[in-house]
Amino acid sequence: MIFKIDSSLKNAEGKSAKELADLILHISNAQHNISCDPDMWKWMTEHLLNYEYLSNWDIQLINGNKQLRDITHAKSRYLSIVTIGREAGMFSPADADKLVSQPSLVIVENEQNDWAVIRTWIDLLKNDRTYKDVNTIVCKRKDANDLRAYNAGTSGQIINSIAQRQAIYGSATPYKVTTLIDSDKVNAAADFSNEKKKIIQAMADAGIEGHILHKREMENYFTEANYRAAGIIAPGEPVPVYTDEEWDFIDIENASFTNYKKRQLPTVAQYLDKPSLLSRVDVRKVTYNGEVMNEIQMIILKFAKLC
């Protein structure tokens, strides 16, 4: 996340100056970035990064962080920019500090099952040729538990979870909360259920971008070979020939050729490799922010906005 410090905060004194100094320290410690004009940075280093507001060790940590103001093209394009200042629509230093300290949440239907798959997706695409820089940031946030799952459950519980998180995060909700849920569609042309439409409306009301999977469920992002390797499809068990699109919407749990149960999703995820994943998602490209990519990469870029 990039914190843009507006010049309206120049000449802050007393408590306001202390809050801004603490914010700079916390942004640095959390490995986020600071953006501001040269005059504002000069003022902050001269008036805030001193013993009146910070310890000697704190000042050394900030000055030693060479990445603090190193905002690459990837960061400026894919990370959220939070403006801190006194003008309307800007975050105060105290409110911005909450953005730094509080975890970012991905609301899912079942944390134990779904997060195992999502973590695997992030890990497998970490070194993507085009998006390596931003994917690595997301992976690091995930590994540090700064980006984590939030267990919701049913459609009604997801809507309640969105409302509850919005009550806590307030105007920061779009920067800290997203959703990732199954579509439960039986084919590509099928409409979302009324329950899914209510979730979509709840996301819009909270300013959350979120994501509903194109395929039926997370189970449909694995290949037949993945299921066989996990022992979910027995050796020698025949599987009908499906097109890619047909496989997208099979009800894996109730398919005649498998003994799969939902609780086994983390097990199957252990057998997913990058070629298998790409074989399931590269056949259908999407356009996101003017760039063409597969769906999983789009999901990771949505997560990047919380990082």
Side-chain angles (χ1 to χ4, degrees):
M1 199 169 289
I2 300 171
F3 291 85
K4 183 177 181 180
I5 302 179
D6 186 72
S7 58
S8 60
L9 290 172
K10 188 180 289 187
N11 300 322
E13 298 178 344
K15 180 182 177 182
S16 296
K18 174 59 175 172
E19 289 177 345
L20 184 53
D22 285 342
L23 175 62
I24 295 170
L25 174 64
H26 298 158
I27 290 172
S28 177
N29 289 345
Q31 299 300 306
H32 291 297
N33 291 104
I34 288 177
S35 169
C36 63
D37 63 51
D39 288 342
M40 185 62 185
W41 181 253
K42 183 175 183 294
W43 178 83
M44 290 192 297
T45 56
E46 292 176 351
H47 293 84
L48 300 181
L49 305 189
N50 57 50
Y51 302 140
E52 182 177 358
Y53 301 112
L54 299 170
S55 70
N56 181 54
W57 176 247
D58 292 337
I59 295 169
Q60 288 184 41
L61 287 175
I62 294 171
N63 291 334
N65 184 354
K66 304 306 180 184
Q67 305 299 315
L68 183 58
R69 299 180 65 216
D70 181 20
I71 301 175
T72 64
H73 172 75
K75 288 179 179 180
S76 62
R77 181 165 180 79
Y78 301 116
L79 301 186
S80 290
I81 299 176
V82 178
T83 303
I84 306 160
R86 292 194 175 102
E87 305 299 330
M90 297 179 180
F91 286 87
S92 69
D95 287 339
D97 214 356
K98 296 177 184 178
L99 278 172
V100 178
S101 61
Q102 293 175 320
S104 294
L105 305 176
V106 181
I107 296 175
V108 296
E109 295 165 274
N110 185 303
E111 177 181 354
Q112 182 174 351
N113 295 338
D114 298 348
W115 194 237
V117 177
I118 296 168
R119 289 199 313 264
T120 301
W121 288 347
I122 295 171
D123 288 338
L124 291 177
L125 294 191
K126 179 175 66 173
N127 294 318
D128 180 85
R129 182 179 303 176
T130 303
Y131 297 100
K132 179 179 179 178
D133 288 351
V134 64
N135 288 5
T136 299
I137 292 172
V138 174
C139 193
K140 287 181 178 179
R141 294 292 178 197
K142 178 261 298 177
D143 290 344
N145 208 31
D146 295 328
L147 177 70
R148 65 182 72 166
Y150 184 87
N151 188 70
T154 64
S155 295
Q157 291 171 319
I158 292 170
I159 292 171
N160 289 338
S161 295
I162 292 173
Q164 290 165 1
R165 295 312 97 191
Q166 187 178 18
I168 293 172
Y169 287 100
S171 60
T173 302
Y175 298 98
K176 301 299 292 184
V177 182
T178 192
T179 57
L180 180 58
I181 58 176
D182 297 334
S183 72
D184 295 325
K185 293 168 67 172
V186 296
N187 59 63
D191 196 7
F192 290 123
S193 67
N194 288 333
E195 288 77 13
K196 288 292 188 292
K197 290 178 180 178
K198 291 177 182 178
I199 294 174
I200 292 171
Q201 186 60 55
M203 290 190 295
D205 291 344
I208 296 173
E209 183 174 18
H211 188 83
I212 298 180
L213 295 175
H214 168 73
K215 306 181 193 300
R216 181 184 185 123
E217 301 170 296
M218 289 189 180
E219 285 84 347
N220 301 93
Y221 290 78
F222 299 97
T223 64
E224 176 188 332
N226 297 146
Y227 284 107
R228 288 193 183 277
I232 305 299
I233 300 177
E237 177 70 31
V239 175
V241 177
Y242 295 99
T243 65
D244 286 321
E245 183 170 317
E246 288 171 338
W247 188 265
D248 285 350
F249 299 99
I250 293 173
D251 183 354
I252 296 292
E253 189 169 17
N254 293 306
S256 61
F257 54 81
T258 175
N259 58 4
Y260 171 77
K261 299 300 179 185
K262 275 282 185 183
R263 65 179 180 275
Q264 296 173 297
L265 190 56
T267 299
V268 185
Q270 295 176 26
Y271 293 89
L272 182 64
D273 55 23
K274 186 175 180 179
S276 298
L277 177 60
L278 294 181
S279 74
R280 294 297 300 127
V281 297
D282 273 352
V283 294
R284 176 182 173 271
K285 298 291 187 179
V286 296
T287 300
Y288 182 67
N289 287 348
E291 300 177 14
V292 177
M293 64 193 71
N294 64 54
E295 183 187 12
I296 304 304
Q297 182 58 63
M298 177 173 65
I299 290 170
I300 294 174
L301 291 186
K302 289 182 178 183
F303 289 165
K305 294 181 179 180
L306 309 183
C307 296

